[in-house]
Structures are given as structure tokens and as C-alpha cells.
Amino acid sequence: EIVLTQSPGTLSLSPGERATLSCRASQSVSSSYLAWYQQKPGQAPRLLIYGAFSRATGTPDRFSGSGSGTDFTLTISRLEPEDFAVYYCQQYGSLWTFGQGTKVEFK
Amino acid sequence: QVHLVQSGAEVKKPGASVKVSCKTSGYSFTGYDMHWVRQAPGQGLEWMGWIKPNSGDTNFAQKFQGRVTMTRDTSISTAYMELTSLRSDDTAMYYCARVAVLRGRSFDYWGQGTQVTVSS
């Protein structure tokens, strides 16, 4: 099973700042099968990024994904108030796994 | 419009079973695999397994092998997840999610979640 480790656990930032979230895999992941989700309290997760860097429908262009192999990054260029949430990375190898999440909170 | 609508909250005693439904609309039910994901209170997302609606084939995370069953009724475009021998640590929100083959097998649509509480 591929284990995904996200860092940091919590990111304390202010609106307008840049957020950089990391996702590290225990073994190489195909970039085609790395996704990022956003989850707000009381809501189901929402797909943001798939294939490591492709934005899902409705994802604002301030969100960008990058990386390959075992290291992937989600960047939010300028935080908007609605971006404060928990973010999960996910991979598909032979099975699916999620990272433990990074919470982006108001500083 | 794609919709995944799950059944309502459940309260079960330890040792009991629970069956959660996920009724779909707005797309071809048999054309997309359906996955189940759970989230314990204050915790992250945990993948449980999937079912191929066209064949009924399933595959589960090792942790749930022997305790989980996933089925479907194609006549009503509905997927089901049944978990047996419930324990207190099965208390969680359970989600169904559709896999998007053309989007790197990510989960593009999710149900609203079903809260399952296991308590004596």
C-alpha cells in the first residue's frame, strides 16, 4: 500500500498570502493518478486537482498542482476567505489511498 | 446534473450491521465505478473499496476484508455498502463517490454522506 504523508499538518496564513502544501508518497506515484481535494466543515470533499496538475471543473486558477514521483505540491497563489479548509491528496496505484490532510487556517 | 443521494443517519449497537445506500441520477450508473470512503470524527479520509456497477465486481481495502459487502441494483441506479460486526471505532461519516476514469481515477462526484454511530 502506498502511504501518502502531507505536510504541514496545519498552515496558519492570512488572506492574500500564498499557501504551499506538500504530499509525499512512500513509493513512486504516476502523476496521472494524483489528486487533491478540498473539504470544508460539514461538507463532502470536493475534487480540486487531478492528474497532479489539471484543474477540475470550477476550480479557480489560483489553485495549481505540481510534482512527480514521490513529491507533489498544491499551491494556492493568493488565499481567499473561502479557501480556508482541509486539503487531502489521494493516489491511485493498484488501490486508492489518501493523505492525512493539511488544514489551512486563519492566522 | 449528476447527483449521489445517500440514505439517512443510522445508530447501531456494537456487533450489528449497517447498510447504506447511494442513489444516483444524471449519468449512466453502469458506466462509472463507485467507491466508498469513510471519515471518523475529526479524522481524515479512509478509502474502503469499490464496486463496478456493470459487473458487480468489487475490491476492498485489506482492513475491511471480510466485514464489508458492496452491491448494486442497476434497475434503480443505486449502490449499497454493508458493514458487519460494527465496533465503536466504525462510528464515522460514510461517503459514496463516483470515479472519473478520464480524470486520473479521481472522485469527481460525492454523496452528501451518511452518519453511522455505533453505541451501546
Side-chain angles (χ1 to χ4, degrees), chain A residues 32-35 37 39 42-47 49-51 56-57 88 90 92 94-100, chain B residues 35 37 39 43-47 50 59-62 95 99-100 102-108 110-113:
Chain A
S32 298
Y33 299 134
L34 193 288
Y37 299 83
Q39 188 179 33
Q43 297 184 15
R46 169 197 168 200
L47 177 64
I49 300 284
Y50 64 92
T57 303
Y88 295 94
Q90 177 207 42
Y92 164 65
S94 56
L95 295 174
W96 285 257
T97 55
F98 290 93
Q100 82 280 17
Chain B
H35 291 241
V37 175
Q39 186 170 36
Q43 302 301 307
L45 302 170
E46 182 175 32
W47 179 76
W50 56 253
N59 200 355
F60 309 126
Q62 188 165 9
Y95 295 101
V99 75
L102 297 182
R103 295 182 182 84
R105 299 186 180 276
S106 58
F107 301 165
D108 61 350
W110 295 65
Q112 83 277 17

Side-chain angles (χ1 to χ4, degrees), chain B residues 1 3 9 22 24 30 32 51 53 56-57 65 76 84 98 108:
Chain B
Q1 244 168 335
H3 290 290
C22 174
T24 72
T30 54
Y32 296 79
I51 181 168
D57 290 345
Q65 296 269 5
I76 55 172
T84 63
R98 188 186 85 161
D108 61 350

Side-chain angles (χ1 to χ4, degrees), chain A residues 26-71:
Chain A
S26 60
Q27 55 186 282
S28 186
V29 172
S30 168
S31 295
S32 298
Y33 299 134
L34 193 288
W36 290 91
Y37 299 83
Q38 177 192 67
Q39 188 179 33
K40 297 181 180 179
Q43 297 184 15
R46 169 197 168 200
L47 177 64
L48 285 179
I49 300 284
Y50 64 92
F53 56 84
S54 297
R55 292 184 200 90
T57 303
T59 299
D61 60 9
R62 63 182 179 272
F63 290 88
S64 63
S66 63
S68 64
T70 59
D71 290 294

Side-chain angles (χ1 to χ4, degrees), chain A residues 77-91:
Chain A
S77 58
R78 288 178 56 86
L79 281 164
E80 297 287 341
E82 61 267 29
D83 300 336
F84 290 87
V86 181
Y87 293 84
Y88 295 94
C89 58
Q90 177 207 42
Q91 68 81 35

